[in-house]
Amino acid sequence: EDKVVQSPLSLVVHEGDTVTLNCSYEVTNFRSLLWYKQEKKAPTFLFMLTSSGIEKKSGRLSSILDKKELFSILNITATQTGDSAIYLCAAKNSGGSNYKLTFGKGTLLTVNP
Amino acid sequence: KAGVTQTPRYLIKTRGQQVTLSCSPISGHRSVSWYQQTPGQGLQFLFEYFSETQRNKGNFPGRFSGRQFSNSRSEMNVSTLELGDSALYLCASSPMTEWMTDEQYFGPGTRLTVT
């Protein structure tokens, strides 16, 4: 059965701290790893990673994938209170043109002023 | 472009009833996926539709069904509701032009409460 495990489940930091969120996966026919940020409603897309070892960066957020060790990390530097959210990672697998996403349970990040 | 829309946003039903949720994808998106999100289980994949055909299905009982129309709008139906069906139901659309790079865009969800 496909599985995605995120750690830690929750994290409380102070503004300005740097955090690292972890995501490990066991998925058949793995194609890509996605990160989402979920505040009060719909998850919003952050990154999609398909190649191992290549960092994707967007402002203070960055992510990297290790396809050999089957994990990804999401880094957030100089955290702000607006970064408080649930961070979800999902592994996409595919058989031909069919695919599905398996999500982890998320990491609840709380950034205190 | 307008985002993914879902209706209704909130719904309260009683056990044994059935419910239909609706999702309108982003214009031009042909793939619609449905997810159930609960505090205990997180986000779980229900099914995915592409060009009016169900292509993938998660591990949910047959009480959960769906369909997609020719304009890519999708509906999800849950029959004989149980208390455990209380959840946030999210739909996500994707253009599916190139499956390896396509990302999914989520709607705001429908919060279903079963009493």
Side-chain angles (χ1 to χ4, degrees):
Chain A
E1 188 182 325
D2 295 336
K3 191 167 61 172
V4 174
V5 177
Q6 291 185 246
S7 64
L9 289 181
S10 66
L11 192 53
V12 180
V13 300
H14 288 105
E15 266 192 318
D17 288 350
T18 293
V19 298
T20 299
L21 310 183
N22 303 291
C23 174
S24 65
Y25 61 91
E26 289 177 38
V27 168
T28 53
N29 296 321
F30 172 81
R31 295 304 180 188
S32 55
L33 193 291
L34 295 88
W35 284 96
Y36 289 86
K37 177 183 181 183
Q38 185 175 25
E39 296 173 88
K40 291 195 174 171
K41 31 189 183 179
T44 53
F45 174 80
L46 293 174
F47 298 111
M48 177 185 284
L49 302 134
T50 54
S51 301
S52 204
I54 297 176
E55 186 184 47
K56 289 230 173 166
K57 212 168 160 56
S58 175
R60 296 177 294 103
L61 277 66
S62 63
S63 183
I64 197 158
L65 174 67
D66 186 327
K67 286 168 82 170
K68 185 179 173 189
E69 300 297 331
L70 307 183
F71 78 88
S72 174
I73 59 171
L74 175 69
N75 272 326
I76 309 175
T77 58
T79 51
Q80 302 171 356
T81 54
D83 295 328
S84 296
I86 296 173
Y87 289 84
L88 297 163
C89 85
K92 179 193 274 192
N93 67 348
S94 178
S97 60
N98 298 339
Y99 77 95
K100 68 170 186 167
L101 284 178
T102 302
F103 279 83
K105 293 193 178 180
T107 293
L108 173 61
L109 173 65
T110 303
V111 181
N112 290 324
Chain B
K1 255 188 192 175
V4 178
T5 57
Q6 290 186 247
T7 56
R9 294 292 312 280
Y10 301 91
L11 205 49
I12 300 174
K13 291 283 189 179
T14 55
R15 274 182 299 177
Q17 286 187 312
Q18 76 162 21
V19 67
T20 298
L21 312 181
S22 180
C23 171
S24 292
I26 292 172
S27 177
H29 286 196
R30 296 167 65 190
S31 167
V32 173
S33 297
W34 287 90
Y35 297 86
Q36 181 196 65
Q37 188 174 32
T38 59
Q41 298 298 320
L43 251 171
Q44 292 185 285
F45 173 75
L46 280 156
F47 27 66
E48 185 244 350
Y49 285 87
F50 181 81
S51 291
E52 301 177 66
T53 301
Q54 185 184 91
R55 293 197 303 182
N56 285 288
K57 192 175 189 317
N59 296 326
F60 278 81
R63 300 184 296 108
F64 291 82
S65 63
R67 58 179 175 166
Q68 187 181 33
F69 302 95
S70 58
N71 61 359
S72 293
R73 189 177 72 83
S74 178
E75 285 183 349
M76 190 192 95
N77 185 276
V78 188
S79 62
T80 320
L81 284 165
E82 300 176 0
L83 294 179
D85 296 333
S86 294
L88 180 66
Y89 289 89
L90 292 162
C91 107
S93 77
S94 171
M96 291 302 291
T97 51
E98 293 179 24
W99 55 264
M100 271 195 75
T101 57
D102 276 356
E103 59 203 57
Q104 289 194 322
Y105 298 85
F106 282 84
T110 294
R111 172 74 63 187
L112 172 65
T113 302
V114 182
T115 61

